[in-house]
């Protein structure tokens, strides 16, 4: 009897230690190269006070590693890097969402063996903290190219980087940007500009006109219930629910492209195509790569506008799971549910370059 109890206790301890060991690796890259740790200096934050978290990204291994800068706060926060939950409900990210070129070597930060970087982030600048309550915060990012810029292949998997959780009390404060719920039928279709030269205004107007044509063509394809290579390449195996979702998306994208009061802001100098704040329709910030892109075709000016228009919550509320045609095609095969929520997949379906039947 004593021996049986002892064996049971040992087995229980083994299972417990295995579980703890697995949990300890949650914040690490494949192979355990990178860890992310969140800390805070206080358990609560009053209204009007910055909600500062300290983010430490560390390489505890004996070899150098790199991490895609876009998914770190090393320069500034450019994506939804954190998962916030209040009373069991996810908290909305209200920061910018970018259309970027496929990542290159220079888009990565390099961490030597044992090296770490720490940055402070004020969550109030990027998340809707308008309601008081206990907030659970974790670093939580995923990308096909998180640790390597190499082409996405059929055997490549989504790479993730997560952290420990911290819980803090936050007094509600005015949201950074309230969700606008203007019905599309009520808008006028005007185009306005901020800090755009005459030639930039002309280029943006031409892009909007072509984006309208692209949207109409995409919607006509979908309304005809076609299910050929053009659809399956960008959205995966046919499924009636997903097909209806995409049809709805392009109806909204086309409607907004034709009738929404779009504002183009040309002040962005980043080496990206464009970005938007999803809760602030219909302002589109055009960046340096946009101006060198062709009017039509792959990663075009017109396609960029479709990409960005799809991000607005009142249009299609898409995300950016992957960038580039290779990643978008692989996503359609591996995860059609994410493909129908990925902005680049919408863009490439609309651009249809090279043309697919």
């Amino acid at each position: 009897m004593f021996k049986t109890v002892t064996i049971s206790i040992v087995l229980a301890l083994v299972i417990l230690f295995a579980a703890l060991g697995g949990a300890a690796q949650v914040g690490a890259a494949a192979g355990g190269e990178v860890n992310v740790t969140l800390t805070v200096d206080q358990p609560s934050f009053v209204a009007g006070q910055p909600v500062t978290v300290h983010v430490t990204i560390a390489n505890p291994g004996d070899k150098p590693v790199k991490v895609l800068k876009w998914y770190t706060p090393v320069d500034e926060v450019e994506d939804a890097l954190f998962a916030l939950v209040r009373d069991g409900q996810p908290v909305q990210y209200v920061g910018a969402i970018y259309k970027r070129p496929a990542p290159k070597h220079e888009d990565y930060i390099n961490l030597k063996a044992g090296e770490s970087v720490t940055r402070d982030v004020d969550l109030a600048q990027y998340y809707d903290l308008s309601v008081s309550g206990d907030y659970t915060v974790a670093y939580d990012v995923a990308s096909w190219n998180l640790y390597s810029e190499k082409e996405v292949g059929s055997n490549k998997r989504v790479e993730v980087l997560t952290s420990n959780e911290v819980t803090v009390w936050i007094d509600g404060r005015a949201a950074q940007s309230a969700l606008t719920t203007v019905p599309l039928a009520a808008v006028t279709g005007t185009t306005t500009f901020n800090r755009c030269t005459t030639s930039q205004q002309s280029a943006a107007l031409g892009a909007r006109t072509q984006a309208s044509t692209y949207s109409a063509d995409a919607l006509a394809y979908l309304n005809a219930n076609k299910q050929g290579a053009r659809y399956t390449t960008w959205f995966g195996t046919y499924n009636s629910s997903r097909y209806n979702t995409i049809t709805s998306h392009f109806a909204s994208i086309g409607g907004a492209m034709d009738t929404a009061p779009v504002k183009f802001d040309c002040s962005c100098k980043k080496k990206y195509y464009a970005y938007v704040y999803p809760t602030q329709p219909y302002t589109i910030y055009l960046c340096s790569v946009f101006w060198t892109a062709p009017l039509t075709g792959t990663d075009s000016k017109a396609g960029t506008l479709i990409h960005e228009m799809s991000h607005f919550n009142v249009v299609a509320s898409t995300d950016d799971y992957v960038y580039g045609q290779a990643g978008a095609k692989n996503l359609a095969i591996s995860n059609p549910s994410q493909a129908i929520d990925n902005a680049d997949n919408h863009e490439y379906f609309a651009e249809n370059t090279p043309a697919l039947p």
Side-chain angles (χ1 to χ4, degrees):
M1 179 68 177
F2 176 78
K3 184 179 294 184
T4 301
V5 172
T6 301
I7 293 173
S8 298
I9 292 174
V10 170
L11 287 173
L13 289 173
V14 169
I15 293 171
L16 176 60
F17 287 137
L20 290 174
Q25 295 300 318
V26 169
E33 300 98 336
V34 181
N35 291 323
V36 179
T37 304
L38 299 187
T39 58
V40 291
D41 294 331
Q42 57 198 78
S44 62
F45 298 86
V46 298
Q49 183 181 22
V51 182
T52 302
V53 296
H54 309 300
V55 183
T56 299
I57 303 174
N59 172 18
D62 56 5
K63 296 179 180 180
V65 295
K66 59 184 184 180
V67 183
L68 188 54
K69 193 181 301 183
W70 304 339
Y71 299 105
T72 77
V74 168
D75 289 338
E76 59 180 294
V77 174
E78 294 184 342
D79 217 291
L81 304 182
F82 304 87
L84 275 68
V85 176
R86 187 199 68 250
D87 299 327
Q89 298 298 316
V91 176
Q92 184 179 33
Y93 170 74
V94 295
I97 297 182
Y98 292 84
K99 172 176 167 57
R100 304 176 172 102
K104 299 179 180 179
H105 177 74
E106 57 266 28
D107 295 316
Y108 289 76
I109 60 169
N110 294 287
L111 295 176
K112 298 176 183 178
E115 186 179 10
S116 67
V117 294
T118 299
R119 294 291 187 272
D120 292 347
V121 176
D122 177 9
L123 297 176
Q125 295 186 30
Y126 306 102
Y127 291 86
D128 179 6
L129 306 181
S130 58
V131 178
S132 299
D134 281 315
Y135 286 73
T136 299
V137 184
Y139 195 90
D140 187 13
V141 298
S143 170
W144 295 93
N145 298 106
L146 192 57
Y147 304 110
S148 173
E149 73 276 16
K150 293 181 180 179
E151 287 265 333
V152 174
S154 59
N155 61 344
K156 188 166 185 177
R157 298 182 179 181
V158 173
E159 298 162 333
V160 301
L161 187 56
T162 59
S163 74
N164 60 302
E165 293 182 347
V166 295
T167 300
V168 292
W169 174 270
I170 300 174
D171 284 338
R173 70 278 313 283
Q176 285 291 313
S177 53
L179 176 62
T180 303
T181 56
V182 179
L184 295 179
V187 297
T188 63
T190 57
T191 303
T192 56
F193 302 92
N194 180 53
R195 299 179 67 179
C196 299
T197 65
T198 301
S199 62
Q200 287 176 327
Q201 292 181 31
S202 177
L205 285 170
R208 183 176 183 181
T209 298
Q210 182 58 44
S212 174
T213 300
Y214 269 159
S215 299
D217 175 72
L219 185 59
Y221 177 104
L222 295 164
N223 281 336
N225 198 33
K226 296 179 181 180
Q227 303 166 23
R230 180 178 177 183
Y231 176 82
T232 57
T233 296
W234 302 117
F235 298 119
T237 305
Y238 174 81
N239 169 283
S240 60
S241 176
R242 292 196 295 266
Y243 199 93
N244 290 338
T245 296
I246 288 299
T247 303
S248 174
H249 284 182
F250 273 100
S252 296
I253 292 169
M257 203 64 70
D258 291 342
T259 65
V262 175
K263 179 179 180 180
F264 292 118
D265 188 305
C266 304
S267 60
C268 175
K269 305 304 179 186
K270 293 178 180 289
K271 293 181 180 180
Y272 303 149
Y273 287 90
Y275 70 94
V276 299
Y277 292 91
T279 59
Q280 299 177 23
Y282 298 90
T283 299
I284 300 177
Y285 298 83
L286 304 175
C287 302
S288 62
V289 179
F290 177 86
W291 304 113
T292 61
L295 176 62
T296 60
T298 302
D299 290 314
S300 62
K301 289 184 176 72
T304 295
L305 297 189
I306 289 174
H307 176 117
E308 296 304 333
M309 188 66 78
S310 75
H311 279 319
F312 291 122
N313 291 347
V314 296
V315 178
S317 192
T318 60
D319 289 316
D320 286 321
Y321 292 101
V322 298
Y323 294 105
Q325 283 197 340
K329 287 178 180 179
N330 193 69
L331 190 65
I333 296 170
S334 63
N335 197 328
S337 294
Q338 288 187 348
I340 68 169
D341 191 37
N342 191 59
D344 258 4
N345 288 67
H346 289 70
E347 175 180 341
Y348 297 138
F349 177 80
E351 291 172 337
N352 194 27
T353 305
L356 297 169

